[in-house]
Amino acid sequence: MQRRMFLKLASVAVVSPALGVGQSNGMVDLRRCRIVLGAPAGDRANKAAQVLVEEAEKRCGIRWPIRPGHGEDPDARPVVIYLATRASTSGLGREILAGAPELGTLREEGFLLRTGHNASGQWIAVIGADDRGLLFGVGTLLRRIEFDRQSAFAPESRLHLVSHPEYKLRGHQLGYRPKTNAYDGWSVPMWDQYIRELAIFGTNAIELVPPVSDDLADSAHFPLPPAQMMVEMSRIADSYGLQVWVWYPAMETTYGTEAAVEKAIRDWGQVFAMLPRVDAILVPGGDPGDTPPAGLLALVEKQAANLHHYHPKATVWISPQSFDAAGTADFFRILGDAKTQQWLDGIVVGPQSRLTIEEVHRTVPAHYQIRCYPDITHSVECQYPVPDWDVAFAVTEGREVINPRPRGEANILRRILPNTVGFISYSEGCNDDVNKFVWSALGWDSSRPVLEVLRDFAHFFIGSANTEGFAQGLLALEQNWQGPLASNHGVEVTLRQFQDMESAATPALLENWRFLQGLYRAYYDAFVRRRLLAGTAQVEQAREVLATVLDMGWGPVPTEYDDPTPVTPPNGLSPEPVLARAQTVLEAAIAQPVAAELRQRIRALGEALFQSIHMQLAVELYQGEAVERGTNLDTLDAPVSDTLWLHREIGTIRRMAAPMAQVAAVRALLFRTDPGPGGFYDHLGDVANRPHLITGPGGATDPEFRSSVLIGFDYPEPLHDTAPMAWKCWGEIIGDAPLTMHYAELDPAAEYRLRVVHSGDTPDQKLRLVANGSFEIYPYMLRTWPPAPQEYPIPRAATSGGQLTLSWSRQPGLGGNGRGCQVSEVWLIRTPARRGA
């Protein structure tokens, strides 16, 4: 089906048929209404009115006039929407104020909605405790109106509300820099629209990134230089009354010289001076940055004075990211100094923090506020990875895929936010758009059901006609990622549900980038699954061909009593035709890829997303920064089965000169994972094939995987056809906790040896293995790289009791991301006891 792919940022929503004029049925008819501002109305109250008028017009085509509070309405419009703050209620009328007794008790940023009737007709009132409260009340009203073409109705039952935010800080990092997978292409109007939309859902802060950070200096997509766009984004946020934070990394390894400090003060001061608004800065301890805590805090103390010269009320925050154990202890020691407490306002807990949020609460002095900095944008190699993700998704969709995880994000928020001021999320682009709105909505009220939040999101951005379908579709996309992909039949159901919405969609909906993001994921997920199923079947077919050499007549048996080492099989046949036929099976699969129609649609949707929001899903075609930065069109065809690896292995065997050597190699290939009689095999990267692994509490209760086993990956995947899929995923624990396996009911009289493939994405990290807490199998050492099986004897004393516990650990006390304790495959191979032993 050919569809128009030139999109707009905002589109007309599609809703159910409108009620006729005069029909109430519990609905307030807003087709003919006016906006009245309470007096005195400041700039931000006028901005709230502008938001209401413009967003309504986008959705129904009707422009509501803004009238003076005491002026005549020349059109005799029967409905009035009053907008006011607690300090500007003049002109609202006695009956309206009488219907809002809670006005005096509204807390900061809170608001109330009311509706009623007077002599002039129906009225709706939105009254905020302050300017932000009014803006958030307007956002809530907009989300509750049913829009259609030339039609707008509001359910009366949803216009009686008093609401206050649960957390005082609800924000998102918006980095205009090359490594984001779309933001670097956004214009000033696009930023204005996005920041407005975030505010409509209760966001009260954005965090900017300075022109110099851990990124390239320029992007082919920049419509403005970074410094100029930073000024514009600060101005936009200020126009809505939102807080402006600056994430400002200290990029030098050390600031040990006076010249280095003076340069940093000049550079940062130039940024502070040009920004119209700064409410706070966050200086991360690392990721990026390598300055030791003492030097970092000394620098930031000077930068605090620098900041206050330009923005006297701005606050200063630091995160202990990437510090090692000694650095973390030093950091918290300095926080206890009374002098530090004079200039440092708060601590931020984010990725690569050695301490959990609970440990921070116990450790940080009471003077400091605590803010969370959750990573909501990445799927692997991150703070909150997707639990038990299938390797086929990991090697194709990658680290910065479009990633709606509403239930997962809600779980994380509810676990980490209590006893904090709130959050500003870590984001690398609009791939995490749904997650942002989930966090903003639940930051306002963490008790809201997730599906209710998604319905709100879908109703406002997609339209009433698809509210339920799209909301449930977002949940289905999250469920696509749960459990083994091959057996997840729901992936195809999800695709059909999105295709149903697509086939019935209006042109406006097909120009809606949020709808297209959902389509892109649904198609991509199904494409990966079909490739996985086809590739797995083709591998099995090739293995069945190879299994010919397991038959009688192929084995390495003596043909004569005095010839124990035959060169050719007893049947006189060459294994070459068998090998050639198996390769042919695999080559046919490689030459005839599956689901070509899905692949074509994915590429078209990628083009549509580039045209609409500059989403860069390919490096060469769309000039994305790098494959790891969300360009997963480049990995659409990455191997998801052992097809290419098996083809390569067969090619290696075919080059062997001796037929019996070929037969032996084929048999070893077919029985690669066989641990032998009385032995055991575990693939730690496969949830269905690791019975001896101690997995811990799991990602639901341990979303950072500090005490639970995570299935880890590397993206983009570097091994390609040189390794089986089993080596492209592994079990790991983040931090210093050990990765542990336990075997029971072993043969006390037997000897055992261990075969292990470590794999992982941190080959520079050393590992140690200990049996039963006391027998060192090997000391801290670098793993074999590229990955390959290694064997180690297990002391007889370790298994003589019939039990064996194996514990791998990385070197303790390290800083950084905590990764390193990574193991892919483990064989425990039994050697029968020798007679007489």
Side-chain angles (χ1 to χ4, degrees), residues 541-592:
Q541 185 180 351
R543 287 175 60 88
E544 288 175 4
V545 172
L546 292 175
T548 302
V549 303
L550 301 180
D551 203 356
M552 289 186 296
W554 290 95
V557 299
T559 54
E560 298 181 11
Y561 73 92
D562 58 352
D563 182 17
T565 55
V567 178
T568 59
N571 59 19
L573 300 176
S574 169
E576 174 57 27
V578 174
L579 295 167
R581 190 161 74 252
Q583 272 198 318
T584 299
V585 169
L586 299 172
E587 287 165 357
I590 295 167
Q592 297 177 349

Side-chain angles (χ1 to χ4, degrees), residues 297-316:
L297 285 154
L299 170 71
V300 179
E301 181 181 3
K302 293 181 173 65
Q303 294 290 13
N306 191 18
L307 170 67
H308 293 149
H309 177 73
Y310 301 100
H311 303 279
K313 295 182 179 179
T315 55
V316 179

Side-chain angles (χ1 to χ4, degrees), residues 26 302 310 350 362-363 383 458 474 495 508 513 529 535 620 665 678 726:
K302 293 181 173 65
Y310 301 100
R362 292 195 297 268
T363 306
Q383 183 184 19
L474 294 174
L495 175 61
W513 67 266
R529 184 171 185 269
E620 187 174 15

